[in-house]
């Protein structure tokens, strides 16, 4: 009877092995065409004076024609010199630096899109770095396939120490699940640090982005688009399309960020995303419960080991595949200790306190062009 709870691991095994099988279908994209379309890059930022010059330098060094793209930096009430540093940058032909007309990243993105004029929009963050081929690769993929949304790869910068390595591995796992689910035709998540979509796509779905929540403009746009029959959501596999983002500076900022991410889960309406969330949480809870039970009754130790091993199989396969594709294979030596730590990390995130945003108004007006 003590083996009966182990059955609860089977849905996790089935879903994540399926995601892994889809990852095996990944094919690297090579830019073949000269897109010739106008692209708008939107950067929503808050207190990013240290990072914004590097990002703008990367954008200034793009090999895409300078007259065919614009960069719109939206300052979300920064208390440092973000606005000054961005406004003083002279290396980009079409650069706009504007103030958020509300509060929070979601409204900042909308403010930037309202000020944009490109057919194709790309969102990224101030702490991201990219190759010179970044815009051209995304624009080329768009002209080749004409999707409504292009989900592009993101990786964290590499730093020493277990906390940083854990962040990198956890983020790689999210990227693996993202790519695998998109390739299967059932996308679950995306990352606004490197996301592209048609202007018309955003204008058609902006009302479904849950303005009552501070974040989630990327995932809610994806979920709203999935409901549209015949919508095109594609994964762009290319090192030239990848951006590298900064990792959280401390364990507390890391937990705070992840708490913010999961706080919007209650508003998810996409069935597969909800199922995936529940199955993952039940599996982690099962690991914790069995571990506690084993300390009071040793008969559960074989069950603990079995559940841990079963869960580790798809996790390892997805991570190994993603680490190889992202040229981060050395991270796999941290897999075992990260796997042992993960259930306690999830519990820590769940119980981490959330800072109140009371007094701020997040509801946004309609973007221009509706």
């Amino acid at each position: 009877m003590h083996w009966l709870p182990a059955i609860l691991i089977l849905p996790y095994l089935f879903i994540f092995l399926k995601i892994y099988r889809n990852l095996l279908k990944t094919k690297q994209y090579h830019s073949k065409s000269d897109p010739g379309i106008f692209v708008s890059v939107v950067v929503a930022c808050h207190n990013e004076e240290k990072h914004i010059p590097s990002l703008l330098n990367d954008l200034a060094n793009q090999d895409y024609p300078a007259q065919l793209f614009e960069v719109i930096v939206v300052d979300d009430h920064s208390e440092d010199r973000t606005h000054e540093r961005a406004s003083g940058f002279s290396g980009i032909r079409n650069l706009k630096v504007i103030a958020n007309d509300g509060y929070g990243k979601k409204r900042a993105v909308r403010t930037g899109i309202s000020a944009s004029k490109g057919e194709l929009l790309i969102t990224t963050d101030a702490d991201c770095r990219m190759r010179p081929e970044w815009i051209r690769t995304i624009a080329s993929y768009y002209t080749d396939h004409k999707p409504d949304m292009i989900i592009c790869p993101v990786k964290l910068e590499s730093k020493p120490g277990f906390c940083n390595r854990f962040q990198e591995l956890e983020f790689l796992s999210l990227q693996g699940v993202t790519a695998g689910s998109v390739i299967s035709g059932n996308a679950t998540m995306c990352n606004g640090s490197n996301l592209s979509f048609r202007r018309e796509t955003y204008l058609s779905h902006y009302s479904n982005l849950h303005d009552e929540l501070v974040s989630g403009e990327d995932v809610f746009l994806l979920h709203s688009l999935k409901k549209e029959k015949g919508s095109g959501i594609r994964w762009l596999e290319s090192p030239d399309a990848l951006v590298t983002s900064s990792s959280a500076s401390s364990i507390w900022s890391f937990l705070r960020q992840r708490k913010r991410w999961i706080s919007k889960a209650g508003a998810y309406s996409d069935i597969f995303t909800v199922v995936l969330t529940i199955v993952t949480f039940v599996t982690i809870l099962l690991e914790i419960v069995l571990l506690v039970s084993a300390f009071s009754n040793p008969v559960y130790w074989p069950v603990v080991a079995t559940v841990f091993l079963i869960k580790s199989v798809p996790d390892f396969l997805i991570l190994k595949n993603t680490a190889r594709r992202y040229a981060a294979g050395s991270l796999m030596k941290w897999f075992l200790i990260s796997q042992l730590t993960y259930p306690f990390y999830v519990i820590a995130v769940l119980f981490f306190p959330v800072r109140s945003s009371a007094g701020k108004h997040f509801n946004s007006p309609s973007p221009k062009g509706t």
Side-chain angles (χ1 to χ4, degrees):
M1 184 64 69
H2 57 276
W3 283 95
L4 191 60
I7 296 175
L8 295 174
I9 194 70
L10 296 181
Y12 185 94
L13 182 66
F14 173 79
I15 291 174
F16 283 87
L17 282 179
K18 185 176 181 181
I19 288 174
Y20 169 68
R21 287 198 300 270
N22 286 311
L23 277 179
L24 297 178
K25 303 174 185 177
T26 303
K27 294 182 179 179
Q28 190 170 126
Y29 173 74
H30 299 281
S31 177
K32 301 175 183 177
S33 60
D34 182 12
I37 61 169
F38 194 85
V39 178
S40 295
V41 179
V42 178
V43 184
C45 55
H46 174 75
N47 290 346
E48 293 286 1
E49 65 174 0
K50 294 181 179 179
H51 294 117
I52 197 68
S54 297
L55 171 71
L56 294 178
N57 272 320
D58 283 356
L59 293 174
N61 290 326
Q62 292 296 301
D63 64 6
Y64 202 64
Q67 72 275 14
L68 288 181
F69 75 94
E70 65 178 352
V71 177
I72 303 171
V73 177
V74 186
D75 179 23
D76 182 25
H77 306 279
S78 295
E79 298 166 341
D80 61 5
R81 300 174 60 200
T82 297
H83 194 283
E84 179 184 345
R85 294 207 168 183
S87 299
F89 190 85
S90 58
I92 297 175
R93 179 171 176 174
N94 300 309
L95 173 65
K96 302 176 185 176
V97 182
I98 59 179
N100 188 4
D101 63 10
Y103 290 92
K105 183 179 179 182
K106 184 178 294 184
R107 186 155 177 176
V109 170
R110 189 167 300 180
T111 299
I113 291 175
S114 294
S116 70
K117 58 181 181 180
E119 172 188 347
L120 182 66
L121 302 170
I122 308 175
T123 62
T124 191
D125 292 334
D127 63 348
C128 289
R129 305 297 304 271
M130 60 280 294
R131 293 184 179 185
E133 302 85 1
W134 182 62
I135 293 178
R136 177 174 54 82
T137 302
I138 296 173
S140 178
Y141 189 87
Y142 172 73
T143 56
D144 285 350
H145 299 282
K146 294 294 183 182
D148 297 293
M149 175 180 283
I150 305 171
I151 300 175
C152 305
V154 184
K155 69 182 255 186
L156 294 184
E157 63 178 334
S158 183
K159 292 181 179 179
F162 173 68
C163 180
N164 292 310
R165 299 305 190 191
F166 181 86
Q167 287 186 58
E168 289 180 68
L169 270 178
E170 190 249 6
F171 198 85
L172 275 180
S173 70
L174 295 176
Q175 285 286 289
V177 172
T178 298
S181 60
V182 173
I183 293 168
S184 73
N186 206 357
T188 58
M189 64 182 96
C190 56
N191 194 309
S193 295
N194 201 10
L195 185 66
S196 181
F197 42 87
R198 295 167 58 241
R199 181 180 179 82
E200 290 183 6
T201 297
Y202 186 88
L203 296 179
S204 298
H205 295 274
Y206 78 90
S207 60
N208 299 325
L209 303 188
H210 291 275
D211 287 339
E212 74 279 5
L213 300 175
V214 182
S215 63
E217 70 286 340
D218 44 11
V219 173
F220 291 129
L221 178 61
L222 168 65
H223 291 174
S224 180
L225 180 59
K226 276 183 69 176
K227 296 177 183 178
E228 185 178 291
K229 187 175 181 180
S231 60
I233 301 169
R234 303 289 291 263
W235 169 262
L236 173 49
E237 179 73 19
S238 170
D240 292 333
L242 179 143
V243 303
T244 301
S245 179
S246 297
S247 55
S249 58
S250 68
I251 184 63
W252 307 115
S253 59
F254 175 52
L255 293 175
R256 187 179 300 113
Q257 181 191 61
R258 294 307 192 260
K259 182 71 172 187
R260 188 171 66 249
W261 286 6
I262 68 168
S263 65
K264 55 182 178 277
Y268 289 165
S269 58
D270 179 66
I271 300 298
F272 183 65
T273 304
V274 172
V275 170
L276 188 66
T277 302
I278 293 173
V279 167
T280 302
F281 178 73
V282 168
T283 300
I284 293 168
L285 184 62
L286 175 66
E287 287 185 298
I288 295 291
V289 171
L290 287 174
L291 184 62
V292 172
S293 300
F295 278 106
S296 60
N297 188 350
V299 74
Y300 281 101
W301 280 115
V303 186
V304 171
T306 300
V307 168
F308 175 80
L309 289 173
I310 292 175
K311 180 182 181 297
S312 295
V313 169
D315 291 352
F316 179 83
L317 292 173
I318 290 172
L319 270 171
K320 187 173 179 59
N321 175 281
T322 308
R324 176 186 56 79
R325 293 186 294 108
Y326 283 46
S330 62
L331 284 174
M332 292 306 296
K333 66 184 179 183
W334 297 90
F335 173 76
L336 181 58
I337 188 172
S338 296
Q339 193 77 345
L340 292 168
T341 305
Y342 192 77
F344 305 100
Y345 148 73
V346 172
I347 297 300
V349 171
L350 290 174
F351 288 98
F352 195 81
V354 182
R355 288 189 300 182
S356 172
S357 56
K360 293 186 177 181
H361 303 285
F362 298 102
N363 291 330
S364 303
S366 302
K368 294 178 183 177
T370 57

